[in-house]
Amino acid sequence: MDCLCCWSVSKPLYLLLFFYFFSCTAKAAFNLSTISFDEGYSPLFGDGNLVRSPDGRSARLLLDRFTGAGFISSRMYKYGFFSANIKLPGYYTAGLCVAFYTSNGDVFKKTHDELDIEFLGNTKGEPWRFQTNLYGNGSTSHGREERYRLWFDPSKEFHRYSILWTAKNIIFYIDDVPIREVIRNEEMGSEFPSKPMSLYATIWDASNWATSGGKYKVNYKYAPFVSEFKDLALEGCPSDPIEEFPSFDCHESDTARLENADYATITRRQRSAMRRFRQRYMYYSYCYDALRYPVPLPECVIIPSEKERFRDTGRLKFGGSHQGGKRRSRRRGRGRVQASNLENDPDM
């Protein structure tokens, strides 16, 4: 049975075909070389709450009442593909944030760049949600958040989450399904991330915003909360941002290899999967938030049907940037916030 089948069917069959479509799209894995923890990463914070497997091929990050945990790539990269198979905590996860992101906030304090995948916990029986975001050159006043549901339970099994970052575009993936693409254009200027970044993975207490705008907090009765990372992949151009001249390790061939990899091109089938994912599972996009941006930001492509669907979704609460990177306290505040009063929104 071909994945690109007819969708003019009854609702129950439509749902079955929908999930089948995603499973078909994600069958063929990317051609990735995975590395051990010690080959590419270092502990960031959390001491004993970062637990590496005996073979060094995976790591667990724990949050308890004393601290969260995190790790960081040992090198910075000027463009790259950052990927891991991740499994999230289960049961009651309200207030949790598990983040897989790139940043250079420790080097460029006022002009940092950032690419985010942030998983937001929920109350018992309610599903995880997640958001993607990006900042360029310290543009923290211009959050570019999108929020989504998932078509599976991320606490039951591992799924691969990936970020592709090139000079031309940014693609966020779940397994092999692209869920968001940002294409660079001249109008974005310096707000397109362009300086070398490190890869981070963290778990931390985001009670002040992560679940229903801060209504539901982390309940440490259910601690420790455990997130698992394995099959880690780092592909790109290693670079030192403070060197006067480009790093010897960073060549044009590295960039060309990155841009020609299988994950750098969205096939017709993948683009169909992305469109269906966004139609069914995206419930917020900054491009349609007229309260924040009366004039959409320059990379936004406005689709009339989406504009109508999202016309009342512009009142969520966001956590801001990961600038600074290290979340040593279990209750560390984030940047700007916005009022949230949309009764029918999944975050309320």
Side-chain angles (χ1 to χ4, degrees):
M1 181 178 183
D2 195 286
C3 294
L4 295 176
C5 48
C6 177
W7 294 88
S8 299
V9 293
S10 64
K11 184 175 180 181
L13 183 56
Y14 174 90
L15 293 175
L16 288 174
L17 293 174
F18 182 83
F19 291 115
Y20 179 79
F21 182 88
F22 276 104
S23 66
C24 288
T25 305
K27 278 181 181 178
F30 291 134
N31 183 22
L32 297 178
S33 297
T34 60
I35 59 175
S36 68
F37 187 93
D38 289 338
E39 286 179 294
Y41 307 90
S42 302
L44 179 65
F45 72 102
D47 301 323
N49 281 12
L50 192 165
V51 182
R52 283 172 274 187
S53 64
D55 63 2
R57 308 298 297 187
S58 63
R60 293 184 174 189
L61 299 181
L62 284 68
L63 172 69
D64 58 27
R65 64 181 63 255
F66 302 105
T67 184
F71 60 83
I72 183 175
S73 60
S74 302
R75 307 186 71 174
M76 302 183 79
Y77 294 83
K78 178 67 177 288
Y79 308 124
F81 184 76
F82 312 94
S83 184
N85 271 319
I86 303 172
K87 186 163 72 170
L88 301 177
Y91 201 65
Y92 184 97
T93 59
L96 292 186
C97 180
V98 176
F100 186 75
Y101 68 102
T102 64
S103 178
N104 50 33
D106 288 337
V107 178
F108 302 100
K109 303 292 185 181
K110 297 182 179 179
T111 60
H112 88 289
D113 305 300
E114 188 175 319
L115 299 170
D116 297 327
I117 299 176
E118 296 175 306
F119 302 97
L120 310 177
N122 217 329
T123 55
K124 178 183 175 182
E126 296 300 320
W128 280 86
R129 295 143 302 112
F130 75 105
Q131 67 180 28
T132 60
N133 196 10
L134 66 139
Y135 299 104
N137 203 40
S139 59
T140 55
S141 62
H142 285 169
R144 289 171 159 90
E145 294 92 349
E146 289 187 350
R147 283 194 181 176
Y148 325 86
R149 305 177 188 88
L150 290 161
W151 67 93
F152 54 85
D153 184 344
S155 70
K156 298 297 185 183
E157 57 188 9
F158 284 91
H159 284 266
R160 180 166 290 280
Y161 305 89
S162 308
I163 301 170
L164 171 69
W165 170 45
T166 76
K168 301 176 181 178
N169 66 339
I170 297 160
I171 304 175
F172 295 91
Y173 282 97
I174 299 178
D175 296 324
D176 295 347
V177 177
I179 62 166
R180 178 180 183 182
E181 181 181 27
V182 178
I183 299 175
R184 187 176 194 171
N185 61 37
E186 292 183 3
E187 288 76 15
M188 289 187 74
S190 63
E191 293 194 2
F192 187 91
S194 58
K195 298 186 293 296
M197 292 191 279
S198 299
L199 184 280
Y200 294 81
T202 60
I203 184 172
W204 56 286
D205 184 329
S207 290
N208 62 328
W209 70 277
T211 307
S212 299
K215 179 179 179 180
Y216 299 103
K217 316 295 184 183
V218 174
N219 187 337
Y220 286 97
K221 177 177 71 174
Y222 302 107
F225 303 97
V226 181
S227 56
E228 301 179 64
F229 297 77
K230 69 177 185 177
D231 303 324
L232 303 163
L234 280 176
E235 299 188 2
C237 187
S239 181
D240 186 336
I242 62 175
E243 283 186 350
E244 183 177 357
F245 301 103
S247 169
F248 177 77
D249 295 330
C250 191
H251 302 281
E252 289 185 6
S253 59
D254 294 311
T255 302
R257 185 167 59 252
L258 184 71
E259 293 178 352
N260 291 324
D262 54 357
Y263 46 71
T265 301
I266 300 179
T267 66
R268 185 174 67 175
R269 178 170 292 181
Q270 286 176 312
R271 196 162 293 281
S272 294
M274 179 168 66
R275 183 176 65 252
R276 288 182 168 86
F277 170 85
R278 295 174 68 82
Q279 288 174 346
R280 186 164 185 83
Y281 290 102
M282 183 172 72
Y283 65 87
Y284 172 84
S285 172
Y286 70 102
C287 287
Y288 301 107
D289 189 342
L291 294 179
R292 295 173 76 188
Y293 304 117
V295 177
L297 296 183
E299 72 279 5
C300 290
V301 177
I302 303 301
I303 300 172
S305 60
E306 287 188 350
K307 184 176 181 179
E308 175 63 21
R309 182 158 59 98
F310 293 120
R311 62 190 175 92
D312 292 325
T313 62
R315 288 178 282 273
L316 300 185
K317 186 175 182 179
F318 301 103
S321 168
H322 285 271
Q323 188 172 12
K326 300 178 182 178
R327 302 191 175 277
R328 300 188 180 279
S329 167
R330 66 179 176 88
R331 292 187 181 274
R332 179 166 179 173
R334 303 251 300 191
R336 61 183 168 71
V337 296
Q338 289 187 303
S340 180
N341 60 8
L342 186 62
E343 293 182 0
N344 295 323
D345 193 273
D347 284 331
M348 295 308 299

